[in-house]
Amino acid sequence: MPLDLTAPQFASIADLEREALACTRCALAGGRTQVVFGAGDTGADLMFVGEGPGEQEDLQGIPFVGRAGNLLTKLIEGIGLSRDDVYIANVVKCRPPGNRDPLPAEIDSCRPWLAAQLQFISPRVVVTLGNFATKLLLDTKEGITRLRGKEFPFAEGVVLIPTLHPSAVLRSGGTTLAQSRADFVVVKRALVRARDAGTAARDGT
Ligand code: URA
């Protein structure tokens, strides 16, 4: 089932975050230190969606601050941006115990939060990090290795680009790091194109 991207039920993203921080929709609530809602520029053109918080994220309340986060930060900086220029969120907002994969029921419980984040932030380019985010947002069973580095239409005027999850890149190294860097070049180009299209639409050219 695709994400429901119809009108959000919250007045603002601050309201949305306040509600999400108190979420008890699934059993992950019982084991978390805190909800990891998302971080970055809520007006960003570029939004990343990962899988779920790990140990450091659960402790600090910020997505991608552990080893995988360091790699993500480097990849973002590699295309001339900083973490402050983008928005980063996850499919599930609470840490699965022992960093296990999120369960389908947990993903399902959490999906309205992500859908509402996407609506408020309204990015021009969405980058899914790994299989879980890619399968959820593209509503596909196709694996990340076949989809990575390609552009897919997501919503009106929004392009989605899947790439490898930074944790998988840390585990495999070598070729996968080169693949990630190549995917980020695709992201950069899509962002430039989307901004040019936005400018042309605004100027009526
Ligand atoms: N992995 C994720 O998918 N998200 C995080 O926030 C951290 C690691």
Side-chain angles (χ1 to χ4, degrees):
M1 199 204 323
L3 274 197
D4 178 8
L5 293 176
T6 50
Q9 299 151 9
F10 302 90
S12 65
I13 192 161
D15 277 2
L16 170 71
E17 179 166 3
R18 202 172 313 113
E19 286 278 329
L21 294 184
C23 181
T24 54
R25 285 178 197 233
C26 81
L28 292 181
R32 73 184 179 220
T33 306
Q34 57 196 311
V35 172
V36 181
F37 177 70
D41 178 2
T42 54
D45 288 339
L46 175 58
M47 176 166 167
F48 291 88
V49 182
E51 181 179 317
E55 184 182 16
Q56 280 309 310
E57 290 78 17
D58 173 69
L59 291 172
Q60 297 183 41
I62 304 168
F64 283 99
V65 286
R67 284 185 66 229
N70 287 340
L71 175 56
L72 178 61
T73 303
K74 287 204 180 95
L75 288 164
I76 292 169
E77 289 171 354
I79 56 167
L81 298 171
S82 80
R83 278 179 69 117
D84 291 341
D85 297 320
V86 306
Y87 191 85
I88 307 174
N90 280 306
V91 166
V92 294
K93 314 287 190 221
C94 297
R95 183 190 182 202
N99 291 352
R100 67 154 167 74
D101 289 346
L103 302 174
E106 294 160 356
I107 294 173
D108 227 44
S109 305
C110 218
R111 59 195 287 153
W113 301 127
L114 180 61
Q117 278 174 309
L118 282 159
Q119 287 162 330
F120 278 118
I121 292 156
S122 190
R124 294 169 191 268
V125 179
V126 176
V127 177
T128 49
L129 301 164
N131 266 318
F132 283 90
T134 304
K135 287 182 175 173
L136 179 68
L137 295 193
L138 280 186
D139 194 26
T140 180
K141 291 193 181 351
E142 196 76 74
I144 188 69
T145 44
R146 292 177 77 102
L147 300 176
R148 56 153 283 271
K150 297 182 184 149
E151 295 185 29
F152 297 89
F154 180 58
E156 174 91 43
V158 184
V159 64
L160 185 150
I161 302 169
T163 191
L164 302 169
H165 193 286
S167 301
V169 176
L170 286 175
R171 279 195 300 272
S172 313
T175 316
T176 57
L177 183 56
Q179 288 174 331
S180 293
R181 290 204 179 109
D183 294 351
F184 271 69
V185 172
V186 176
V187 171
K188 176 78 184 179
R189 287 200 191 118
L191 205 53
V192 169
R193 217 183 317 114
R195 283 178 176 160
D196 286 351
T199 308
R202 189 198 58 210
D203 298 346
T205 54

